[in-house]
Amino acid sequence: MAKDKKRRFNKKLKPKELITKISKTLVPLDKLSFLEQYGMFMGKVQLVEFVLKKLLRNKYHYTEKKTEKFTLGASIVELKKLGLRKDFIFLLEQLNEYRIQIAHYLLADDAIGKSLIGEKFEHLSMKTLNYGLIKVEEVIQVYDFLSANKYL
């Protein structure tokens, strides 16, 4: 038994492997418009939020009623209080910062920038969105790895 536990905790997600997985997932998004990519980001963040609520219910026995109004940030705060892996909490907090920036400011900033500078401003908006897409994909890939190897 101790040998199985030791072997299980020796499984690691190498940075190169993580980057490869993230890249493969993001390549098809290059063909999408700015708004389509925005939609993909928001949809993926909502999936992460849903999975974190499910984790709270299944592992920590929270009720659905208690978690139904949790935002991504509230779910992260709860998981942090419960002692979820600090490295994963760090990734989630980074994602939440991108979510806040992208959900609340990106479209308005893009519209204002385009009205002042023109369509070329979208390039700057895409930069922020691309970082957000990378971060949400990183969280998904790390969660899948941790979950598959029973590290959560």
Side-chain angles (χ1 to χ4, degrees):
M1 174 103 166
K3 191 174 184 179
D4 288 338
K5 193 172 186 178
K6 186 178 180 183
R7 186 177 313 134
R8 183 181 72 163
F9 287 110
N10 282 336
K11 293 180 184 177
K12 295 183 178 159
L13 180 59
K14 295 179 176 87
K16 189 173 184 177
E17 181 183 350
L18 179 60
I19 291 167
T20 300
K21 288 180 177 204
I22 292 168
S23 296
K24 282 182 183 176
T25 307
L26 293 178
V27 166
L29 299 182
D30 287 341
K31 296 175 185 162
L32 301 178
S33 72
F34 173 71
L35 287 177
E36 289 169 327
Q37 288 187 33
Y38 175 86
M40 289 298 291
F41 172 80
M42 295 306 292
K44 286 181 180 226
V45 169
Q46 285 181 320
L47 289 174
V48 169
E49 184 179 307
F50 174 78
V51 167
L52 295 180
K53 289 179 184 182
K54 186 175 176 186
L55 181 63
L56 284 165
R57 289 192 303 272
N58 293 345
K59 185 173 181 177
Y60 299 103
H61 311 293
Y62 278 51
T63 63
E64 189 167 339
K65 184 174 179 149
K66 184 172 183 173
T67 63
E68 72 183 348
K69 298 220 183 216
F70 279 8
T71 61
L72 177 63
S75 297
I76 294 167
V77 167
E78 289 298 311
L79 290 166
K80 189 175 187 177
K81 282 191 235 175
L82 294 165
L84 189 69
R85 298 176 58 103
K86 289 179 183 178
D87 54 350
F88 189 57
I89 291 292
F90 178 75
L91 287 177
L92 290 170
E93 289 172 336
Q94 288 180 322
L95 173 61
N96 195 43
E97 289 300 315
Y98 278 106
R99 186 204 62 80
I100 291 166
Q101 175 67 28
I102 291 169
H104 296 283
Y105 305 108
L106 185 71
L107 292 181
D109 290 350
D110 184 63
I112 291 168
K114 285 178 181 174
S115 71
L116 296 172
I117 298 170
E119 288 299 313
K120 288 186 178 185
F121 187 83
E122 191 172 281
H123 177 72
L124 294 173
S125 299
M126 279 302 298
K127 189 173 181 180
T128 301
L129 185 55
N130 284 334
Y131 286 135
L133 284 164
I134 290 167
K135 187 54 63 181
V136 72
E137 211 39 63
E138 179 182 19
V139 166
I140 291 168
Q141 295 299 329
V142 170
Y143 176 85
D144 287 349
F145 174 82
L146 293 173
S147 183
N149 290 289
K150 299 181 179 19
Y151 290 157
L152 291 176

